[in-house]
Amino acid sequence: MSKKARQTQVYEQMQENDLLILYSGVQHHISLDAYHPFAVNTQFFYLTGIERKDVIFVMHKNTEMEPVLFIKRIDPLEEKWQGKQLTAAQASELSQIKTIKYLDEFDKYMNTLMMQNNIQNVYFDLYRNSPTDLPDYNMVKAEEFKRTYPSVRIKNAYALIAPLRMQKDEEEIAKVQEAIDITQSGLEFVMQTLKPGMQENQVQANFEYRIRYNGASGPSFATIAGAGYNGTMLHYSENCGPCRENEMILLDLGAKYDGYCADITRTYPINGKFTARQKQIYDIVLKANQTVAATAKPGMTTVELNNVCKEVLAEGLKEIGLIKEDSELIKYYMHGVSHHLGIDVHDATIASNKELRPGAIITNEPGLYIDEESIGIRIEDDLLITEDGCVVLSKDIIRTTDEIEAYMAQFK
């Protein structure tokens, strides 16, 4: 789907005289002259394909759709220090927006627009996970706008855009697939180099080196590399522990390619050989993974898929005597099995669109975390929902214990 088609879909949901304003964002300051890496607002990126800071998208619902993009004027001195800036021609080509203006024209443009039209509803991206997040530029600008134009109602653009993002078009699917394929190359390099005596951060470094070498813009999220007991912690992030003999390392990671994410988890024996107990637990998790993949189809919800997953995990743990009742599973499995995947790792979702539809890309990530045995195992794949089931986009990333041992044995 073209950027123009996405813009049109959003436009058609707006009421007459509604206004949509999206900011690409700014680079957050750390201290002195240090800055966090820039991360584009993903709603803005979805509608424009632009990953540059200091860009504004404006769309007014009137008799004819004509979005406007505001960019910085080219500053040769700034370019000398920081690199080439976005030109009007580049902005138009990427976004498929004909009308390109400059940031120093924005206030006058907005004043004229507001004076000449009876605008009551103005949409900004107001989605926010936590009050501890860095100040969100779109929310800051929404508050400023409300102070300048107190009579308008500020609404959340998330509700307009999120349902569209839940079904991917062919171009998006291809980008996610490329991100997965690059992730595969990184995991293969990890298996080739993994051995006792390494540190978790060295395993992380090997993965991230290989994905960047193979075309990724970087990791799609902070790599989790948890060896031994550290693998039992769901969002372990320190990656500073040792990789010991007879332990496993849980790797939850992904490559980012052209704005789209992969999200894969594999669990490997550090010395190349699973113990009998590790295999026993691993095969329960693998069965859950395979059952979810065989079950996922349009009309289901991720809650229903999680119930399928829990049934398999509980049955497996009862068979080996680790639990007696299904209710005890919560001790060893405490998260959901699926989330949507795309521009964000935990991609935009909305309750009204909770039933899976063709084009949705979701994760499939059962796990078991046995603290008392320092065993943490998760097997995560990425699934594309089709008309009658699903396709495992990450099917080529090996996952059985026999496949993993045979692959690693080649490099010992």
Side-chain angles (χ1 to χ4, degrees), residues 92-163:
S92 183
E93 182 179 2
L94 285 168
S95 65
Q96 298 180 307
I97 294 172
K98 295 178 182 178
T99 306
I100 309 297
K101 295 181 180 292
Y102 295 99
L103 291 177
D104 55 30
E105 302 174 285
F106 178 75
D107 288 343
K108 181 179 179 181
Y109 174 89
M110 195 56 58
N111 285 333
T112 303
L113 187 68
M114 296 299 291
M115 287 176 62
Q116 294 179 353
N117 298 274
N118 183 30
I119 295 174
Q120 299 296 317
N121 302 313
V122 183
Y123 286 90
F124 289 84
D125 183 30
L126 304 180
Y127 184 74
R128 188 180 178 90
N129 272 327
S130 167
T132 61
D133 290 345
L134 285 168
D136 182 84
Y137 197 63
N138 277 269
M139 294 184 71
V140 169
K141 301 308 285 187
E143 292 168 0
E144 286 182 7
F145 195 92
K146 181 65 175 176
R147 288 194 296 269
T148 304
Y149 305 102
S151 64
V152 303
R153 286 186 293 268
I154 301 298
K155 292 194 170 185
N156 194 352
Y158 187 84
L160 297 176
I161 303 171

Side-chain angles (χ1 to χ4, degrees), residues 103-352:
L103 291 177
D104 55 30
E105 302 174 285
F106 178 75
D107 288 343
K108 181 179 179 181
Y109 174 89
M110 195 56 58
N111 285 333
T112 303
L113 187 68
M114 296 299 291
M115 287 176 62
Q116 294 179 353
N117 298 274
N118 183 30
I119 295 174
Q120 299 296 317
N121 302 313
V122 183
Y123 286 90
F124 289 84
D125 183 30
L126 304 180
Y127 184 74
R128 188 180 178 90
N129 272 327
S130 167
T132 61
D133 290 345
L134 285 168
D136 182 84
Y137 197 63
N138 277 269
M139 294 184 71
V140 169
K141 301 308 285 187
E143 292 168 0
E144 286 182 7
F145 195 92
K146 181 65 175 176
R147 288 194 296 269
T148 304
Y149 305 102
S151 64
V152 303
R153 286 186 293 268
I154 301 298
K155 292 194 170 185
N156 194 352
Y158 187 84
L160 297 176
I161 303 171
L164 307 178
R165 288 177 55 182
M166 292 175 72
Q167 283 75 53
K168 275 63 180 177
D169 59 34
E170 290 184 5
E171 180 184 353
E172 292 180 292
I173 293 166
K175 289 179 180 180
V176 172
Q177 183 66 71
E178 183 65 23
I180 290 169
D181 293 345
I182 295 172
T183 301
Q184 177 180 345
S185 73
L187 283 169
E188 288 174 350
F189 188 58
V190 165
M191 286 190 286
Q192 294 166 21
T193 55
L194 183 61
K195 61 183 178 182
M198 294 181 71
Q199 295 292 114
E200 293 165 342
N201 62 294
Q202 292 176 306
V203 181
Q204 174 186 356
N206 282 346
F207 171 75
E208 293 180 6
Y209 152 73
R210 184 52 65 97
I211 63 169
R212 287 184 183 274
Y213 186 87
N214 285 330
S217 58
S220 53
F221 58 96
T223 298
I224 296 170
Y229 181 81
N230 293 339
T232 68
M233 294 179 279
L234 302 185
H235 286 170
Y236 172 75
S237 60
E238 294 180 4
N239 297 353
C240 61
C243 298
R244 298 186 178 94
E245 186 80 29
N246 295 322
E247 290 187 340
M248 295 176 296
I249 185 166
L250 186 154
L251 298 160
D252 190 345
L253 37 69
K256 191 163 192 173
Y257 176 79
D258 202 10
Y260 284 79
C261 301
D263 187 5
I264 303 294
T265 306
R266 290 292 185 267
T267 310
Y268 298 139
I270 291 167
N271 65 5
K273 281 282 190 181
F274 291 95
T275 67
R277 179 61 164 177
Q278 289 166 354
K279 279 190 177 184
Q280 185 181 49
I281 304 301
Y282 189 102
D283 286 343
I284 295 171
V285 177
L286 180 61
K287 184 177 180 181
N289 173 281
Q290 293 169 332
T291 304
V292 169
T295 305
K297 62 182 180 180
M300 295 192 74
T301 67
T302 56
V303 172
E304 290 171 335
L305 288 177
N306 196 43
N307 289 336
V308 170
C309 172
K310 289 194 291 186
E311 288 176 10
V312 177
L313 295 177
E315 188 61 33
L317 292 188
K318 286 190 290 186
E319 286 179 1
I320 66 173
L322 196 57
I323 64 173
K324 294 182 179 180
E325 304 291 338
D326 289 3
S327 59
E328 299 175 75
L329 177 64
I330 189 66
K331 179 180 179 183
Y332 300 111
Y333 173 73
M334 62 294 294
H335 60 80
V337 77
S338 293
H339 59 76
H340 283 255
L341 176 72
I343 298 172
D344 286 295
V345 176
H346 288 246
D347 210 30
T349 58
I350 197 162
S352 62

Side-chain angles (χ1 to χ4, degrees), residues 346-383:
H346 288 246
D347 210 30
T349 58
I350 197 162
S352 62
N353 197 14
K354 65 182 179 180
E355 291 186 356
L356 297 173
R357 303 177 189 176
I361 298 179
I362 62 171
T363 60
N364 170 16
E365 49 182 309
L368 288 170
Y369 314 94
I370 307 173
D371 293 6
E372 60 269 27
E373 300 182 43
S374 294
I375 290 178
I377 297 172
R378 186 160 62 251
I379 306 170
E380 179 180 15
D381 286 300
D382 299 333
L383 311 180

